[in-house]
Amino acid sequence: IFAPLNKADKEVTKFFTLDFDFTDLNLAKKAVNKVLDIMENVFEIEEDSYRVNFSGNKGYHVTIYFDNYISLNTLKNYYKMLLFLSGYSASDIEFRPTSKHGVKLPLSTHPTTKKVAHFVNRNFEEVSKYTLLNVKPLNVEDFAEFVMEEVFPKYKKDKDFKIKASKIRITGSMEDSFQHVLSDTNLSNRMKAE
């Protein structure tokens, strides 16, 4: 199980996972494709920076990889924007990892179903386990700058966005979390030196 690091009183990670849990796998596939379209077309996240894997049970995991540590609060605010844009709720798509909930490793066997959590493509066909070796992590600073300068201003004044985002329990303001990514990056550099 992956879980976040807790250094210098900040929870940080180099990846985050969207956990799509639906009783109907076809609904899960529809949700995954909708969110991937938003990630690629609104946030300009390229396919080689994320991977999709079957959960082994009733859904899929989409994991985005970063080149440096980034705070969980920053990622939770990105998650808020994804939920708003997709129209899905936090019960449909869960944020992982958290300090209380890790995420099951890809390629592991689900303890109940005994099914392997294999990687899949956009058509949900199994792909090589070696696909993970070709991940090109997102640059943390570029990601935060793009969200702050290009995406966030479009939704900042949207009343529906503020109402929906406020229903998800996340501390700190969205704007502050992305503006502080540079300090998160400095924290990351200190952690690497340890």
Side-chain angles (χ1 to χ4, degrees), residues 3 22 32 56 85 90 126 129 157 171 184 190:
F22 290 80
V32 168
L85 293 170
E126 186 174 344
K129 62 185 176 186
K157 295 179 182 177
T171 58
D184 292 340
R190 288 196 311 271

Side-chain angles (χ1 to χ4, degrees), residues 21-178:
D21 277 329
F22 290 80
T23 53
D24 180 338
L25 274 181
N26 288 323
L27 292 176
K29 290 174 183 179
K30 182 179 176 184
V32 168
N33 276 323
K34 185 172 187 177
V35 169
L36 291 180
D37 286 342
I38 293 166
M39 286 170 42
E40 292 173 359
N41 298 311
V42 175
F43 293 97
E44 297 185 5
I45 296 174
E46 295 182 10
E47 191 173 350
D48 56 3
S49 295
Y50 68 82
R51 290 294 178 262
V52 180
N53 68 282
F54 175 57
S55 71
N57 190 17
K58 58 182 180 173
Y60 293 91
H61 295 164
V62 173
T63 302
I64 303 172
Y65 300 90
F66 295 93
D67 70 346
N68 215 330
Y69 290 102
I70 186 168
S71 79
L72 286 186
N73 278 340
T74 297
L75 291 174
K76 286 175 185 175
N77 286 323
Y78 167 71
Y79 166 72
K80 280 177 159 181
M81 285 189 265
L82 279 176
L83 290 180
F84 171 72
L85 293 170
S86 69
Y88 287 101
S89 71
S91 62
D92 297 324
I93 305 170
E94 298 173 338
F95 178 92
R96 297 285 187 265
T98 68
S99 58
K100 295 181 181 177
H101 299 98
V103 64
K104 189 167 44 69
L105 289 167
L107 304 174
S108 61
T109 303
H110 192 280
T112 305
T113 66
K114 306 298 183 211
K115 294 180 182 178
V116 175
H118 54 267
F119 290 106
V120 297
N121 61 21
R122 286 290 296 261
N123 295 318
F124 301 94
E125 300 161 334
E126 186 174 344
V127 297
S128 169
K129 62 185 176 186
Y130 298 107
T131 188
L132 192 58
L133 299 175
N134 300 321
V135 169
K136 294 181 182 169
L138 284 173
N139 179 278
V140 168
E141 292 174 11
D142 291 346
F143 170 73
E145 184 178 317
F146 181 79
V147 170
M148 277 305 297
E149 293 179 8
E150 301 294 328
V151 180
F152 185 63
K154 295 176 185 173
Y155 304 100
K156 186 176 180 180
K157 295 179 182 177
D158 187 317
K159 191 180 287 187
D160 288 338
F161 176 63
K162 288 181 181 179
I163 291 168
K164 284 185 180 184
S166 70
K167 291 180 181 179
I168 302 167
R169 294 182 193 146
I170 295 176
T171 58
S173 82
M174 191 171 301
E175 192 167 9
D176 286 347
S177 72
F178 282 98

